[in-house]
Amino acid sequence: MASCSLFHPQTKIKPFNQNHPRLTYRPPTVISCSFSTSNPSSPPPPAAASKNRRAADENIRDEARRQRSTTNNTFSAKYVPFNAGPDSPEFYSLDEIVYRSRSGGLLDVQHDMESLKKFDGAYWRDLFDSRVGKTTWPYGSGVWSKKEWVLPEIDPDDIVSAFEGNSNLFWAERFGKQFLGMNDLWVKHCGISHTGSFKDLGMTVLVSQVNRLRKMKRPVVGVGCASTGDTSAALSAYCASAGIPSIVFLPANKISIAQLVQPIANGAFVLSIDTDFDGCMKLIREVTSELPIYLANSLNSLRLEGQKTAAVEILQQFDWEVPDWVIVPGGNLGNIYAFYKGFKMCHELGLVDRMPRLVCAQAANANPLYLYYKSGWKDFKAVKASTTFASAIQIGDPVSIDRAVYALKNCNGIVEEATEEELMDAMAQADSTGMFICPHTGVALTALIKLRNSGVIGPLDRTVVVSTAHGLKFTQSKIDYHSKEIKDMACRFANPPVQVKADFGAVMDVLKKYLGSKAPI
């Protein structure tokens, strides 16, 4: 394996400006989480709550159990066929083990919106804001702080959480100004999470439900997934936390070492299979139909319930102002629908007054959605995905194609693509401004660059790029780029180390030349 030592200068961190014209600071309000719906037209006002430190022999689960409200939960959710109406005759309890509708189509988790609408948008905003940054179980999680919108009926004792979510929304000041002429560009770093990717947001929900099913003595021995890396890392970590066996199907020699080691370290049973992701997906679906293994891929709509909370979180971080654009990398295409669903719920329940436009960004080497979009949504064909540095989205036959198309059509969305050279150059440019992103974020940034250059995205548009994984998972691709060892790629922004003799004069000559090139004009 190639190795090198790169010099990383320290940069000063600019403090957050509470007087930013579009980010007004509002002190958090602490409110009670127990309520009654006896008078639905008058939601209970936020009530101040005092809290004493719990006893030394009491953990946060014990504390939550002791303080739990005796008020009956009035919210519910169920599986329905994807895109079914609220009165669909076909529906399933979330406690059933089912992945497809009777016709073989996708399922969706449908919430009782009428019950949720008994409380106005201000109530939900204050409730969600009151839980941010706390250690109260389970609301310290960015996912479970929206529990009523995720799995409203699950007992907190069954929840498996690493307090995921609440990830950084980074103002990409220098990248926006220098490369795009933008002042209001943001990167939502979902990869700053427990296992280093956004997959934690969905996996906490799925594994929590599995934990509930096992306690109910349902026939679930373990949980399995096909993966290009990040899904297996999240699944194995959350299963390990709950003591549930995890089984992982990985395409041989197609994921990074950093991704491979995560499920191994967390004790998963890992099968390295001589096929691509689509082949692994076919096998895991066949296996889970025969064995008591719960399917954890995004064919299972539970994960999307956790992933949608990232959209709610973005709105929270903008003090409930809506960005103009949100750009999401797309592979199996569940995440673009999850973002749509999160924004749609906030709009429908009155937390915000509009929705952002969504952009799904695909690697050109695995671009079935892009080709479908360019055909005017007339001719979808799965493709044989070619190797891409954005390995987690190297998927040619996406499970959630129907979900993605529905989301994009309903928010006037766009699909863009990035070649290998474009995504690697974009990653290098972003890194040069203080980020350290994954290749998939490079795909999303390439889409932004193209849409900005074509004038579709304006210089004053507030734009959020979703970064799906941590750059530390993809260090080899960065090493290869900066070493200029990628075949047929110019690596225009490479920054290789300079070899210098251990001699004062030689070092001085090199530094003078470097500093001269950096002197302000």
Side-chain angles (χ1 to χ4, degrees):
M1 177 182 291
S3 64
C4 70
S5 175
L6 300 179
F7 171 68
H8 297 285
Q10 291 183 340
T11 57
K12 293 183 178 179
I13 306 298
K14 186 173 181 178
F16 175 74
N17 180 9
Q18 293 182 351
N19 297 316
H20 189 285
R22 295 182 69 179
L23 288 180
T24 54
Y25 175 74
R26 181 172 65 184
T29 304
V30 178
I31 76 169
S32 172
C33 299
S34 63
F35 50 82
S36 169
T37 57
S38 58
N39 185 4
S41 61
S42 302
S50 60
K51 180 179 177 181
N52 297 320
R53 182 166 178 170
R54 65 178 182 273
D57 61 348
E58 182 180 60
N59 62 41
I60 57 175
R61 280 188 191 270
D62 297 333
E63 180 184 40
R65 195 179 298 116
R66 174 172 53 81
Q67 295 182 347
R68 191 170 304 161
S69 169
T70 57
T71 305
N72 291 331
N73 173 60
T74 61
F75 305 122
S76 63
K78 60 189 177 183
Y79 292 123
V80 298
F82 173 70
N83 206 17
D87 300 321
S88 171
E90 182 183 354
F91 61 89
Y92 308 89
S93 164
L94 297 187
D95 293 332
E96 292 187 60
I97 301 173
V98 56
Y99 311 114
R100 291 277 195 183
S101 69
R102 286 195 290 264
S103 65
L106 297 169
L107 294 174
D108 198 14
V109 175
Q110 185 182 86
H111 290 263
D112 182 356
M113 296 299 287
E114 292 307 311
S115 292
L116 293 172
K117 285 178 181 177
K118 291 176 181 177
F119 301 89
D120 63 17
Y123 174 84
W124 291 116
R125 288 194 301 266
D126 288 340
L127 177 64
F128 294 160
D129 284 348
S130 74
R131 294 168 171 173
V132 173
K134 305 295 173 57
T135 57
T136 305
W137 184 265
Y139 304 123
S141 160
V143 173
W144 296 108
S145 64
K146 289 88 177 168
K147 179 180 181 293
E148 295 83 357
W149 290 21
V150 179
L151 287 186
E153 296 171 274
I154 195 170
D155 191 300
D157 275 351
D158 296 336
I159 290 174
V160 183
S161 174
F163 279 12
E164 52 289 307
N166 296 320
S167 58
N168 179 30
L169 184 63
F170 174 79
W171 181 31
E173 179 183 17
R174 185 179 162 206
F175 184 87
K177 290 180 179 178
Q178 181 174 333
F179 297 111
L180 296 165
M182 298 179 73
N183 269 336
D184 214 359
L185 174 62
W186 301 78
V187 177
K188 177 62 170 168
H189 280 298
C190 294
I192 302 177
S193 187
H194 182 58
T195 71
S197 89
F198 78 97
K199 299 293 179 72
D200 293 348
L201 304 177
M203 208 56 74
T204 179
V205 176
L206 184 141
V207 175
S208 294
Q209 181 64 12
V210 170
N211 198 36
R212 170 183 167 93
L213 294 176
R214 284 164 59 91
K215 290 181 180 180
M216 296 170 68
K217 306 302 182 185
R218 296 297 171 89
V220 179
V221 175
V223 190
C225 75
S227 179
T228 50
D230 293 331
T231 301
S232 63
L235 175 65
S236 58
Y238 282 87
C239 281
S241 178
I244 299 172
S246 58
I247 300 96
V248 172
F249 287 17
L250 294 176
N253 304 315
K254 289 183 174 65
I255 67 170
S256 73
I257 294 297
Q259 290 172 302
L260 175 61
V261 76
Q262 287 181 279
I264 291 173
N266 285 137
F269 187 66
V270 179
L271 302 181
S272 179
I273 302 175
D274 186 20
T275 183
D276 58 10
F277 171 81
D278 297 313
C280 288
M281 187 68 210
K282 181 177 182 293
L283 285 168
I284 193 70
R285 287 167 64 177
E286 293 171 346
V287 166
T288 53
S289 68
E290 298 291 332
L291 296 174
I293 299 172
Y294 193 83
L295 180 64
N297 284 96
S298 55
L299 176 65
N300 186 319
S301 51
L302 281 176
R303 277 177 43 197
L304 305 184
E305 293 305 292
Q307 290 167 211
K308 78 183 181 191
T309 62
V312 185
E313 206 168 276
I314 287 171
L315 297 176
Q316 277 187 285
Q317 289 169 311
F318 283 134
D319 201 20
W320 303 104
E321 291 186 355
V322 182
D324 299 302
W325 298 89
V326 176
I327 304 175
V328 185
N332 220 13
L333 301 180
N335 210 26
I336 189 73
Y337 176 67
F339 271 85
Y340 169 80
K341 192 172 185 181
F343 288 127
K344 180 65 175 176
M345 284 190 74
C346 286
H347 185 221
E348 191 171 345
L349 292 171
L351 284 74
V352 295
D353 60 3
R354 66 184 180 90
M355 290 189 49
R357 292 183 69 183
L358 297 179
V359 178
C360 188
Q362 291 208 292
N365 283 1
N367 63 349
L369 180 66
Y370 175 77
L371 296 176
Y372 190 27
Y373 171 77
K374 296 300 285 185
S375 75
W377 304 120
K378 294 176 182 176
D379 187 24
F380 175 74
K381 293 180 180 177
V383 302
K384 178 68 175 177
S386 301
T387 300
T388 171
F389 283 102
S391 57
I393 57 175
Q394 187 179 314
I395 299 169
D397 190 10
V399 166
S400 293
I401 180 66
D402 293 339
R403 291 170 174 151
V405 172
Y406 176 87
L408 291 163
K409 284 183 175 180
N410 281 280
C411 70
N412 194 20
I414 294 174
V415 187
E416 257 299 349
E417 68 172 355
T419 66
E420 294 303 288
E421 187 154 18
E422 287 171 338
L423 72 89
M424 292 297 285
D425 281 347
M427 181 174 71
Q429 287 177 298
D431 288 354
S432 74
T433 65
M435 290 183 264
F436 194 74
I437 63 168
C438 65
H440 318 84
T441 310
V443 174
L445 287 174
T446 297
L448 169 60
I449 291 167
K450 289 182 174 181
L451 294 172
R452 180 71 191 90
N453 289 342
S454 66
V456 174
I457 293 180
L460 301 181
D461 289 356
R462 174 175 286 176
T463 303
V464 178
V465 171
V466 176
S467 180
T468 52
H470 202 295
L472 286 172
K473 288 191 172 189
F474 302 92
T475 52
Q476 190 59 52
S477 65
K478 294 176 183 289
I479 291 169
D480 292 343
Y481 182 91
H482 289 290
S483 301
K484 295 190 172 184
E485 292 181 354
I486 302 174
K487 185 179 180 181
D488 299 325
M489 190 177 293
C491 303
R492 293 185 297 141
F493 305 102
N495 181 33
V498 178
Q499 300 295 323
V500 189
K501 293 180 180 179
D503 174 78
F504 176 77
V507 171
M508 287 294 289
D509 288 343
V510 169
L511 288 176
K512 287 178 181 179
K513 183 177 179 180
Y514 171 76
L515 294 174
S517 69
K518 300 296 180 182
I521 300 174

